[in-house]
Amino acid sequence: MKSTTDLNMVNAYIPGRADVGPVTAAMIERRDALLGPAYRLMYEHPLHIVRGEGVWLMDPDGRRYLDIYNNVASLGHCHPAVTEAVCNQVKVLATNTRYLHDTILELAERLLATVPETELAHLMLTCTGSEANDIAYRIAQVRTGGTGVIVTETAYHGFTDAVSKFSPSLGTTVDLGAHVRTVPAPCLYHAEGADLAERFTRDVEAAIADLKRHGIKPAMLLVDSVFTSDGILPEPAGFLKGTVDAIKRAGGLFIADEVQPGFGRTGEHMWGFQRHGISPDIVTMGKPMGNGQPIAGLLATADALAEFGKKSRYFNTFAGNTVSCAAALAVLDTIEKEGLIQHAARVGKLLRDGIAELASRHEAIGDVRGVGMFVGVELVSDRATRTPDRELTTRVVNRMREKGVLLSACAMGHNVLKIRPPLVLSAEQAGMVIEVLDEALSFAARAR
């Protein structure tokens, strides 16, 4: 029997709620027996996926699903440039960072070249974004002598023991640490005309004061620069400046979590924080870095990393291996050669504008927001009160899955459609998303 933590997933498969058929039921039973009770499946009718190509995922019967949720394969599933780079490298050398090799050095040079306006100076590699945020926290503790962490109230930053303590979106069954303070997410739609920059700065300053009152020295403010799990909150550009100043005045570090907004997704820059004109002490990255090959890491200033480097000997068996570095270099090459940042801006605007037009026919659409190839659609039961409609959101997500389009939802109210397609999504495919969403909203409204 599944735990009540399934309720934290708006699109979770809940056993017994729907007839999934004998073949799928048998596969789920086998999976549960072999993998145990901690894993989860998505959608009322879970998918069996056997192949991926570009923006598409395919089931055993050959049915194609438009994947507008999985930002791991940000270049599209099984991109030929990445698969070729991985295959070529694995035939030559697959080794770790205790030997000299050029691949990791080229990767470091290429990534640091994307942030010339900052003081970021060093690259450290991990296998996952969770590990990247974990090591970032260790660095922050050494650099500041503090342990206090400030995050937004529905943030997700990872699954390690340390990081889960400041990932409130994991739900109430995963305890936050006593050293952690949460602040309201900076949502323009719910700001009621307030100055968002001033409000967010004030909230962070209050969290800093509360940490100090309890004898906890601040170590870091950690934010996803597009506030993805909080509901995709990119606007207004520049509103993070006062907040960054506040944490630095308190002796803490500012860490930009770019695991979801990074690698060109905003359609403006390589990294989401760059639209705010700020300079982080550490930038963490992951998911799309290898387009499916496990690689993640962080960029840090020399000042942030100096003391940690003296006191700690960092080694990670698989992080920074030559094969993963080759994949990451292929990702950077492809983003540049295919003009994917510019493409994300162009097609992302078509997608947002098309969905915004649906609001004239669907009262449930309260807000459409986003930047680049990142769109949040907030669904409400009443536009006047802006009340979240989680039930409708769940129906829309599952209806779209039935119609062959895969997405999910986020935010505290579990009511923001999370649209995060591969950067290679075409204008025609964006039109398909809009068409299916239109139908799903109509279907979900009739099903009330």
Side-chain angles (χ1 to χ4, degrees):
M1 182 175 178
K2 293 294 184 186
S3 163
T4 55
T5 57
D6 290 336
L7 298 177
N8 291 320
M9 289 179 60
V10 69
N11 65 336
Y13 163 67
I14 308 293
R17 281 197 180 176
D19 182 7
V20 298
V23 174
T24 299
M27 194 168 191
I28 292 171
E29 183 178 359
R30 181 186 175 204
R31 171 187 162 108
D32 288 347
L34 292 169
L35 305 185
Y39 285 94
R40 299 292 184 270
L41 289 163
M42 296 195 298
Y43 306 113
E44 288 180 356
H45 294 87
L47 285 165
H48 179 190
I49 297 299
V50 297
R51 193 164 68 88
E53 181 182 341
V55 297
W56 301 100
L57 290 172
M58 281 73 91
D59 70 12
D61 298 322
R63 184 182 179 187
R64 293 155 65 90
Y65 294 85
L66 187 63
D67 183 3
I68 59 168
Y69 176 62
N70 185 351
N71 80 316
V72 176
S74 66
L75 308 184
H77 295 279
C78 305
H79 192 286
V82 180
T83 56
E84 182 181 7
V86 168
C87 290
N88 287 342
Q89 184 61 51
V90 81
K91 288 187 291 187
V92 176
L93 176 67
T95 190
N96 60 55
T97 55
R98 283 183 168 163
Y99 298 101
L100 291 170
H101 64 85
D102 290 326
T103 322
I104 191 172
L105 302 180
E106 183 182 351
L107 178 59
E109 288 168 346
R110 293 280 298 277
L111 287 170
L112 289 167
T114 67
V115 288
E117 73 281 15
T118 71
E119 296 181 4
L120 296 164
H122 302 301
L123 169 71
M124 294 180 69
L125 291 175
T126 63
C127 297
T128 68
S130 295
E131 287 182 351
N133 283 324
D134 190 289
I135 198 73
Y137 181 45
R138 288 179 58 196
I139 293 167
Q141 290 179 85
V142 172
R143 171 62 182 82
T144 66
T147 59
V149 179
I150 301 169
V151 294
T152 49
E153 57 193 0
T154 321
Y156 172 69
H157 295 294
F159 262 107
T160 69
D161 180 60
V163 178
S164 65
K165 289 180 171 62
F166 47 85
S167 288
S169 68
L170 293 176
T172 55
T173 58
V174 180
D175 293 337
L176 295 179
H179 59 293
V180 176
R181 297 294 182 273
T182 63
V183 294
C187 183
L188 196 60
Y189 179 59
H190 293 283
E192 299 177 341
D195 184 318
L196 204 64
E198 180 183 345
R199 175 183 286 183
F200 194 50
T201 299
R202 188 171 64 245
D203 289 340
V204 168
E205 288 173 339
I208 291 168
D210 191 63
L211 284 169
K212 290 181 175 179
R213 182 182 175 214
H214 289 84
I216 302 170
K217 186 175 181 180
M220 68 182 191
L221 167 68
L222 172 64
V223 301
D224 169 332
S225 59
V226 181
F227 299 89
T228 308
S229 295
D230 292 291
I232 305 175
L233 311 171
E235 302 294 350
F239 76 83
L240 280 175
K241 288 183 179 179
T243 309
V244 173
D245 291 341
I247 191 64
K248 292 191 176 184
R249 281 195 305 271
L253 302 187
F254 172 66
I255 299 177
D257 183 336
E258 294 289 337
V259 171
Q260 297 191 73
F263 290 92
R265 182 154 295 278
T266 64
E268 299 170 334
H269 309 279
M270 182 65 78
W271 311 107
F273 75 83
Q274 288 171 311
R275 68 193 317 268
H276 291 287
I278 53 180
S279 183
D281 298 287
I282 298 175
V283 174
T284 58
M285 60 191 72
K287 290 190 195 319
M289 190 171 180
N291 205 57
Q293 178 74 13
I295 182 170
L298 61 83
L299 299 177
T301 65
D303 176 72
L305 200 53
E307 192 65 20
F308 179 83
K310 290 177 184 177
K311 294 182 176 180
S312 303
R313 184 177 65 231
Y314 176 70
F315 177 68
N316 182 320
T317 301
F318 295 109
N321 74 80
T322 46
V323 176
S324 292
C325 288
L329 283 169
V331 167
L332 293 176
D333 287 340
T334 302
I335 289 173
E336 182 178 339
K337 289 177 182 177
E338 297 186 6
L340 291 182
I341 296 179
Q342 298 81 0
H343 179 81
R346 184 173 61 254
V347 177
K349 186 177 187 305
L350 291 174
L351 188 58
R352 288 194 306 280
D353 290 350
I355 294 172
E357 288 179 4
L358 298 180
S360 63
R361 300 198 298 278
H362 299 285
E363 285 290 318
I365 297 179
D367 192 34
V368 180
R369 52 185 179 254
V371 61
M373 207 73 83
F374 224 150
V375 184
V377 184
E378 184 151 355
L379 301 183
V380 296
S381 57
D382 186 317
R383 281 186 178 175
T385 61
R386 303 184 180 186
T387 304
D389 197 333
R390 175 175 177 162
E391 182 182 351
L392 179 74
T393 305
T394 299
R395 286 200 296 270
V396 169
V397 168
N398 282 286
R399 178 62 175 177
M400 292 187 75
R401 172 255 181 265
E402 291 174 14
K403 303 297 287 184
V405 176
L406 306 180
L407 78 168
S408 189
C410 57
M412 180 168 285
H414 304 278
N415 68 309
V416 177
L417 297 177
K418 184 178 183 181
I419 301 174
R420 194 182 51 175
L423 300 181
V424 295
L425 186 81
S426 69
E428 180 183 2
Q429 291 158 348
M432 293 173 58
V433 174
I434 295 162
E435 182 180 339
V436 173
L437 176 57
D438 187 11
E439 191 280 340
L441 285 163
S442 297
F443 175 86
R446 292 194 302 268
R448 284 187 183 276

